[in-house]
Amino acid sequence: MKRKKFLSVSIAVACLLMNVPVMEIQAAEPTIQAVKTVSAASVTPTTAEPYILTVDDVDVNRCREDDNDSNTPYIDAVQISWKGNIDRSLPQYKNIVIPDTMPFDKPVLDDDGNEQKDEDGNVITETVDMPVIKAYLNPGEFGRSNLEKVTVSKNIRILGEFSGCENLTEVMIPEDSALESFSTDAFSKTAIQTLSIPANVTELPERMFYDCKNLTAVTFAEDSKLEKIGAYAFAESGLTSIDIPDT
């Protein structure tokens, strides 16, 4: 099997580590430039036990084909976000695990696709497990310093940002992940050290690893579909070299 080609390290150094806004990956002749080094704080891996999020912790909402258009039909998948009344500074939320599925009360439809109702006019529902494909789990102002590790389920396609979670050192993404995109500022100002980018991710968003001084390695799947790197994605980080897929 033919191995995936990667752009040279010197291109990455020149374009990504010098605060240069890089909008697209382009193969070019290598250019050597000095790399600005940054100091990293000491990092200790979490000792907290993994905690699988449940419906007691997060709101579960059904996704549409296009969540920006309320006229598009629903799909059999859900997105999750923190419940507003949850204290995200609790010890159990130091090491969170995003589950593959979440229970959701789905309306029962008749043969014509209409919602069935009981004699009181209430919509009849059935509880089914739906894949979690989107997760927005930044703990917010009073919980950011608590989060230390996130384990992403294989079904997640869009992962929200964890910007400012200064003690977040690990983000585990499975090799068979369906992940397609990260939010802007995904891990900026965190203590993340390494990350493996799954094959279906086409873009690293703006400021993805901005000010991640403990960052030492970012790797890509051999069949990576990466096409674009956002401005300042690695600016002020501790990364000194990287191999970028030549897509």
Side-chain angles (χ1 to χ4, degrees), residues 34-55:
V35 178
K36 180 180 180 181
T37 59
V38 293
S39 59
S42 60
V43 174
T44 303
T46 185
T47 58
E49 289 295 316
Y51 176 79
I52 302 174
L53 296 173
T54 73
V55 292

Side-chain angles (χ1 to χ4, degrees), residues 14-113:
C15 296
L16 302 180
L17 302 178
M18 295 299 296
N19 297 345
V20 176
V22 179
M23 299 313 296
E24 294 185 50
I25 299 173
Q26 296 179 347
E29 290 299 317
T31 302
I32 307 298
Q33 296 187 26
V35 178
K36 180 180 180 181
T37 59
V38 293
S39 59
S42 60
V43 174
T44 303
T46 185
T47 58
E49 289 295 316
Y51 176 79
I52 302 174
L53 296 173
T54 73
V55 292
D56 293 328
D57 310 301
V58 296
D59 288 323
V60 182
N61 293 292
R62 196 171 179 187
C63 296
R64 294 181 181 272
E65 285 186 359
D66 181 355
D67 282 331
N68 295 318
D69 184 352
S70 60
N71 294 317
T72 58
Y74 285 108
I75 60 176
D76 287 338
V78 295
Q79 65 180 35
I80 61 173
S81 58
W82 290 110
K83 285 183 178 294
N85 61 346
I86 290 294
D87 181 359
R88 286 152 250 177
S89 66
L90 293 173
Q92 69 204 55
Y93 298 131
K94 287 182 178 295
N95 183 358
I96 61 173
V97 178
I98 302 173
D100 288 337
T101 62
M102 280 283 200
F104 184 81
D105 292 334
K106 178 183 177 181
V108 176
L109 306 181
D110 60 25
D111 293 338
D112 296 322

Side-chain angles (χ1 to χ4, degrees), residues 136-147 150 159-168 171 182-192 206-212:
Y136 303 97
L137 296 170
N138 190 314
E141 180 180 358
F142 300 107
R144 288 194 185 103
S145 62
N146 185 51
L147 185 63
V150 176
L159 185 63
E161 52 84 18
F162 293 93
S163 177
C165 296
E166 68 234 46
N167 293 314
L168 176 61
V171 178
F182 298 91
S183 293
T184 300
D185 291 298
F187 305 111
S188 66
K189 298 181 180 296
T190 67
I192 192 168
E206 293 182 11
R207 301 179 303 279
M208 181 169 178
F209 296 103
Y210 177 77
D211 203 21
C212 293

